[in-house]
Amino acid sequence: MSTPTADSPSLAAGEAQARRLDESDPSHRHLFHVPPADGGSYSESAYLAGNSLGLQPRATRDELLADLDAWGRLGVEGHLEAERAWLPYHELLTAPAARLVGGRPAETVVMNSLTVNLHLLMVSFYRPAGARTRIVIEDAAFPSDSYAVRSQARFHGLDPDDTVVRLRPRPGEDALRTEDVTGYLAAEGDRVALVLLGGVNYLTGELLDIPAITAAGRAAGAVVGWDLAHAVGNVPLALHDWDVDFAAWCSYKYLNSGPGALAGVFAHERHLGDPNLPRFEGWWSTAAATRFEMTPVARPPATVEAWQISNPPIFAMGPVRTSLELFDAVGMSALRARSLRLTGWLEQLLDEVTADRPLSVVTPRDPARRGCQLSVRIGAGSAGELTKRLRHEYGVIADAREPDVVRFAPVPLYSTYHDCWRAASALAALVGQSTKGGSA
Ligand SMILES: *Cc1c(COP(=O)(O)O)cnc(C)c1O
């Protein structure tokens, strides 16, 4: 396989180079539905928004229809008699989800949606006491996480403005430095009850040093949880070995399981079966063998399934199962290797684009400190307007985070070098025009 760096990219010669690289380092695009282009001269869009909503695997529809047919054929008997019986259906997702996050099967379960799961986990793991009340998040946390932790503080009768600490990058910098996070925890850690950070930041694309920050938080006596919405399926994870207390993620971004797809949860083995941890319970919290004994008191298993509450939506699990099978087949380490090549190539093209335009890449330049996404800050105009023009004039789908960030995520499963070239050259064309028109 030729390596991308053997071809030094340039926008002008880029299309031919991109085609060569797509032959020597192919994607699994054929396994996905790629939306048709809304503009420009190619039939398919250059889809670089998989960080927001992943593409639909071609296999998903048939798998979903098979589950639907089982209901039609079997009615209530499908709970036990469907080919993939509904009662234990979620167990089919456990092992592949555990492999993806580096958890043990007893530590991993697919259920609910992300922010709901964060709340259920905080019921157990955010237990302010005495002077130890603070929750540490990043200042650029996704708003849902920020709302969630603030509401948890209020739930405990605390003032969220005093309780939630938002860590900011140093002045003039876009990414958090690991030593600033661990430094805060060393200095103030005895006031911290919970650290809850995004593994990969949704805005900047920065991958935090999860093991180092987890170790620092735990050494300070805090509980350390991770929101892996932008990390799962994007970067290799080893939650058990990294000693993470808990984590949650969604499945509609890099996991390609469809809008609002079922989410995942990890709780470290040391917390499983602990009778002193508060938890919200329902009939799916009791051990499966006792579920139909209809007793008034739950007998939770010593696994993360104790955090389940309701019987799960079967038709929402098929798409997650299908997607996880794809990750198992391709393998996260092969995906990460291709991701490093693909994003590295886009970065070189973007360097050429940003060199003489009012644009800058805000994602860390060290590949070890990022996933596949590159975020570009635009110096003038609106990010939303720019992404609209990328889509309607060039068929390039990226996404805007107002006021001034456009995110490009070459997803190693289905994005191509040609997609990257299309994005960079469209950006060059559009921003070149707007600079002349706007600020000259
Ligand atoms: C995408 C995302 C969410 C979305 O929350 P839902 O509960 O799935 O709607 C939350 N947090 C982060 C960090 C995200 O990236």
Side-chain angles (χ1 to χ4, degrees):
M1 187 192 300
S2 77
T3 61
T5 44
D7 273 322
S8 173
S10 79
L11 278 182
E15 182 157 30
Q17 289 176 342
R19 297 283 193 204
R20 277 201 299 281
L21 288 164
D22 281 324
E23 273 182 27
S24 62
D25 188 12
S27 74
H28 290 78
R29 188 185 190 84
H30 58 286
L31 300 177
F32 291 85
H33 292 285
V34 179
D38 216 13
S41 41
Y42 302 91
S43 59
E44 287 183 344
S45 22
Y47 192 82
L48 297 169
N51 55 342
S52 187
L53 185 73
L55 290 181
Q56 182 188 140
R58 290 183 181 274
T60 299
R61 172 187 293 259
D62 284 348
E63 297 289 321
L64 188 54
L65 288 177
D67 288 335
L68 201 55
D69 287 346
W71 179 32
R73 248 189 352 266
L74 296 164
V76 69
E77 306 301 346
H79 282 304
L80 294 170
E81 293 177 14
E83 188 195 337
R84 291 181 285 268
W86 303 332
L87 284 179
Y89 196 121
H90 68 274
E91 294 170 10
L92 299 173
L93 287 61
T94 297
R99 278 191 283 278
L100 209 50
V101 299
R104 304 209 161 140
E107 298 171 319
T108 313
V109 68
V110 172
M111 62 182 197
N112 308 316
S113 49
L114 170 55
T115 313
V116 169
N117 286 336
L118 287 176
H119 277 297
L120 294 178
L121 289 161
M122 282 192 278
V123 164
S124 304
F125 295 115
Y126 175 53
R127 304 178 67 192
R132 194 185 279 283
T133 59
R134 290 182 191 165
I135 305 175
V136 174
I137 63 172
E138 69 271 54
D139 190 45
F142 192 81
S144 197
D145 301 47
S146 184
Y147 305 159
V149 297
R150 290 178 60 85
S151 66
Q152 285 282 334
R154 279 196 303 273
F155 178 73
H156 287 277
L158 298 165
D159 178 347
D161 292 332
D162 298 336
T163 305
V164 177
V165 176
R166 311 183 71 96
L167 298 181
R168 285 184 182 77
R170 294 185 186 185
E173 298 186 6
D174 294 299
L176 279 172
R177 296 193 193 192
T178 303
E179 66 263 30
D180 289 354
V181 180
T182 56
Y184 176 84
L185 292 170
E188 303 278 328
D190 57 352
R191 311 285 304 275
V192 176
L194 173 66
V195 180
L196 182 61
L197 297 167
V200 171
N201 184 266
Y202 83 100
L203 185 65
T204 64
E206 176 184 17
L207 166 61
L208 288 176
D209 187 336
I210 298 175
I213 293 171
T214 300
R218 288 182 36 77
V223 174
V224 183
W226 291 90
D227 184 326
L228 301 175
H230 282 264
V232 70
N234 182 14
V235 295
L237 297 166
L239 300 183
H240 178 87
D241 290 346
W242 292 341
D243 230 15
V244 163
D245 285 301
F246 71 89
W249 56 91
C250 57
S251 309
Y252 48 84
K253 293 170 181 167
Y254 297 105
L255 295 191
N256 310 316
S257 305
L262 280 174
V265 159
F266 165 93
H268 198 278
E269 193 170 69
R270 66 178 158 272
H271 300 301
L272 305 180
D274 178 352
N276 298 317
L277 272 188
R279 250 184 310 99
F280 286 167
E281 292 180 343
W283 69 324
W284 244 250
S285 320
T286 202
T290 65
R291 192 162 293 143
F292 290 92
E293 289 174 8
M294 303 315 207
T295 55
V297 180
R299 280 188 278 149
T303 73
V304 73
E305 290 190 4
W307 274 264
Q308 295 182 119
I309 295 180
S310 290
N311 83 108
I314 299 303
F315 307 135
M317 284 201 279
V320 182
R321 184 176 52 76
T322 310
S323 167
L324 292 174
E325 283 168 7
L326 200 54
F327 274 87
D328 261 346
V330 179
M332 197 57 223
S333 61
L335 284 175
R336 175 63 170 169
R338 182 166 190 273
S339 179
L340 292 170
R341 295 189 293 269
L342 193 64
T343 292
W345 201 68
L346 175 62
E347 181 182 35
Q348 286 178 274
L349 292 174
L350 287 177
D351 279 343
E352 195 182 321
V353 177
T354 55
D356 50 8
R357 290 181 179 78
L359 297 171
S360 57
V361 174
V362 298
T363 307
R365 291 318 188 98
D366 176 359
R369 291 186 60 211
R370 67 187 186 207
C372 71
Q373 170 186 326
L374 295 177
S375 301
V376 174
R377 174 165 293 140
I378 61 173
S382 125
E385 277 308 306
L386 183 59
T387 53
K388 269 191 206 134
R389 294 190 66 191
L390 284 168
R391 175 170 170 217
H392 295 302
E393 295 173 33
Y394 294 90
V396 172
I397 301 187
D399 84 13
R401 282 295 172 262
E402 296 285 19
D404 61 355
V405 172
V406 180
R407 307 183 300 173
F408 298 95
V411 172
L413 263 174
Y414 51 73
S415 297
T416 61
Y417 291 87
H418 194 255
D419 291 335
C420 295
W421 174 80
R422 282 174 64 188
S425 43
L427 192 62
L430 286 175
V431 178
Q433 290 161 4
S434 71
T435 310
K436 278 181 215 131
S439 58

PDB file of all heavy atoms in Angstrom, residues 297-308:
ATOM      1  N   VAL A 297     -39.436  -6.686  45.472  1.00  0.00           N
ATOM      2  CA  VAL A 297     -38.089  -6.136  45.645  1.00  0.00           C
ATOM      3  C   VAL A 297     -37.172  -6.670  44.538  1.00  0.00           C
ATOM      4  O   VAL A 297     -37.118  -7.885  44.307  1.00  0.00           O
ATOM      5  CB  VAL A 297     -37.522  -6.520  47.041  1.00  0.00           C
ATOM      6  CG1 VAL A 297     -36.116  -5.959  47.216  1.00  0.00           C
ATOM      7  CG2 VAL A 297     -38.441  -6.018  48.146  1.00  0.00           C
ATOM      8  N   ALA A 298     -36.460  -5.760  43.869  1.00  0.00           N
ATOM      9  CA  ALA A 298     -35.563  -6.170  42.787  1.00  0.00           C
ATOM     10  C   ALA A 298     -34.333  -6.882  43.345  1.00  0.00           C
ATOM     11  O   ALA A 298     -33.871  -6.570  44.441  1.00  0.00           O
ATOM     12  CB  ALA A 298     -35.115  -4.944  41.995  1.00  0.00           C
ATOM     13  N   ARG A 299     -33.830  -7.828  42.563  1.00  0.00           N
ATOM     14  CA  ARG A 299     -32.558  -8.451  42.921  1.00  0.00           C
ATOM     15  C   ARG A 299     -31.585  -8.223  41.768  1.00  0.00           C
ATOM     16  O   ARG A 299     -31.466  -9.035  40.853  1.00  0.00           O
ATOM     17  CB  ARG A 299     -32.758  -9.931  43.205  1.00  0.00           C
ATOM     18  CG  ARG A 299     -33.326 -10.129  44.623  1.00  0.00           C
ATOM     19  CD  ARG A 299     -33.362 -11.552  45.042  1.00  0.00           C
ATOM     20  NE  ARG A 299     -34.543 -12.222  44.510  1.00  0.00           N
ATOM     21  CZ  ARG A 299     -34.586 -13.509  44.196  1.00  0.00           C
ATOM     22  NH1 ARG A 299     -33.513 -14.265  44.314  1.00  0.00           N
ATOM     23  NH2 ARG A 299     -35.705 -14.045  43.739  1.00  0.00           N
ATOM     24  N   PRO A 300     -30.901  -7.075  41.794  1.00  0.00           N
ATOM     25  CA  PRO A 300     -30.061  -6.680  40.656  1.00  0.00           C
ATOM     26  C   PRO A 300     -28.872  -7.613  40.472  1.00  0.00           C
ATOM     27  O   PRO A 300     -28.321  -8.113  41.459  1.00  0.00           O
ATOM     28  CB  PRO A 300     -29.576  -5.282  41.025  1.00  0.00           C
ATOM     29  CG  PRO A 300     -30.362  -4.872  42.227  1.00  0.00           C
ATOM     30  CD  PRO A 300     -30.860  -6.111  42.882  1.00  0.00           C
ATOM     31  N   PRO A 301     -28.484  -7.850  39.225  1.00  0.00           N
ATOM     32  CA  PRO A 301     -27.277  -8.656  38.974  1.00  0.00           C
ATOM     33  C   PRO A 301     -26.038  -7.825  39.295  1.00  0.00           C
ATOM     34  O   PRO A 301     -26.111  -6.599  39.357  1.00  0.00           O
ATOM     35  CB  PRO A 301     -27.361  -8.923  37.472  1.00  0.00           C
ATOM     36  CG  PRO A 301     -28.081  -7.726  36.928  1.00  0.00           C
ATOM     37  CD  PRO A 301     -29.061  -7.307  37.995  1.00  0.00           C
ATOM     38  N   ALA A 302     -24.918  -8.499  39.476  1.00  0.00           N
ATOM     39  CA  ALA A 302     -23.659  -7.786  39.731  1.00  0.00           C
ATOM     40  C   ALA A 302     -23.006  -7.407  38.408  1.00  0.00           C
ATOM     41  O   ALA A 302     -21.822  -7.676  38.170  1.00  0.00           O
ATOM     42  CB  ALA A 302     -22.737  -8.658  40.572  1.00  0.00           C
ATOM     43  N   THR A 303     -23.813  -6.797  37.529  1.00  0.00           N
ATOM     44  CA  THR A 303     -23.302  -6.316  36.240  1.00  0.00           C
ATOM     45  C   THR A 303     -23.915  -4.942  36.013  1.00  0.00           C
ATOM     46  O   THR A 303     -24.811  -4.508  36.745  1.00  0.00           O
ATOM     47  CB  THR A 303     -23.732  -7.219  35.064  1.00  0.00           C
ATOM     48  OG1 THR A 303     -25.126  -6.995  34.814  1.00  0.00           O
ATOM     49  CG2 THR A 303     -23.479  -8.681  35.340  1.00  0.00           C
ATOM     50  N   VAL A 304     -23.465  -4.285  34.967  1.00  0.00           N
ATOM     51  CA  VAL A 304     -23.988  -2.953  34.651  1.00  0.00           C
ATOM     52  C   VAL A 304     -25.463  -3.030  34.221  1.00  0.00           C
ATOM     53  O   VAL A 304     -26.164  -2.024  34.198  1.00  0.00           O
ATOM     54  CB  VAL A 304     -23.096  -2.284  33.571  1.00  0.00           C
ATOM     55  CG1 VAL A 304     -23.325  -2.923  32.218  1.00  0.00           C
ATOM     56  CG2 VAL A 304     -23.322  -0.777  33.512  1.00  0.00           C
ATOM     57  N   GLU A 305     -25.952  -4.223  33.941  1.00  0.00           N
ATOM     58  CA  GLU A 305     -27.373  -4.359  33.605  1.00  0.00           C
ATOM     59  C   GLU A 305     -28.271  -3.923  34.758  1.00  0.00           C
ATOM     60  O   GLU A 305     -29.450  -3.650  34.560  1.00  0.00           O
ATOM     61  CB  GLU A 305     -27.693  -5.801  33.180  1.00  0.00           C
ATOM     62  CG  GLU A 305     -27.085  -6.154  31.840  1.00  0.00           C
ATOM     63  CD  GLU A 305     -27.587  -7.478  31.293  1.00  0.00           C
ATOM     64  OE1 GLU A 305     -28.473  -8.089  31.918  1.00  0.00           O
ATOM     65  OE2 GLU A 305     -27.094  -7.889  30.229  1.00  0.00           O
ATOM     66  N   ALA A 306     -27.713  -3.836  35.944  1.00  0.00           N
ATOM     67  CA  ALA A 306     -28.494  -3.331  37.080  1.00  0.00           C
ATOM     68  C   ALA A 306     -28.952  -1.888  36.844  1.00  0.00           C
ATOM     69  O   ALA A 306     -29.898  -1.429  37.467  1.00  0.00           O
ATOM     70  CB  ALA A 306     -27.667  -3.417  38.360  1.00  0.00           C
ATOM     71  N   TRP A 307     -28.266  -1.171  35.936  1.00  0.00           N
ATOM     72  CA  TRP A 307     -28.660   0.216  35.638  1.00  0.00           C
ATOM     73  C   TRP A 307     -29.793   0.288  34.613  1.00  0.00           C
ATOM     74  O   TRP A 307     -30.343   1.349  34.386  1.00  0.00           O
ATOM     75  CB  TRP A 307     -27.459   1.033  35.151  1.00  0.00           C
ATOM     76  CG  TRP A 307     -26.662   1.640  36.269  1.00  0.00           C
ATOM     77  CD1 TRP A 307     -26.783   2.911  36.761  1.00  0.00           C
ATOM     78  CD2 TRP A 307     -25.620   1.025  37.033  1.00  0.00           C
ATOM     79  NE1 TRP A 307     -25.894   3.113  37.782  1.00  0.00           N
ATOM     80  CE2 TRP A 307     -25.163   1.976  37.980  1.00  0.00           C
ATOM     81  CE3 TRP A 307     -25.035  -0.241  37.035  1.00  0.00           C
ATOM     82  CZ2 TRP A 307     -24.150   1.709  38.890  1.00  0.00           C
ATOM     83  CZ3 TRP A 307     -24.017  -0.513  37.953  1.00  0.00           C
ATOM     84  CH2 TRP A 307     -23.587   0.455  38.862  1.00  0.00           C
ATOM     85  N   GLN A 308     -30.116  -0.842  33.988  1.00  0.00           N
ATOM     86  CA  GLN A 308     -31.254  -0.827  33.063  1.00  0.00           C
ATOM     87  C   GLN A 308     -32.529  -0.595  33.883  1.00  0.00           C
ATOM     88  O   GLN A 308     -32.604  -0.980  35.050  1.00  0.00           O
ATOM     89  CB  GLN A 308     -31.399  -2.177  32.365  1.00  0.00           C
ATOM     90  CG  GLN A 308     -30.251  -2.546  31.451  1.00  0.00           C
ATOM     91  CD  GLN A 308     -30.513  -3.888  30.758  1.00  0.00           C
ATOM     92  OE1 GLN A 308     -30.580  -3.963  29.554  1.00  0.00           O
ATOM     93  NE2 GLN A 308     -30.676  -4.924  31.544  1.00  0.00           N
TER      94      GLN A 308
END
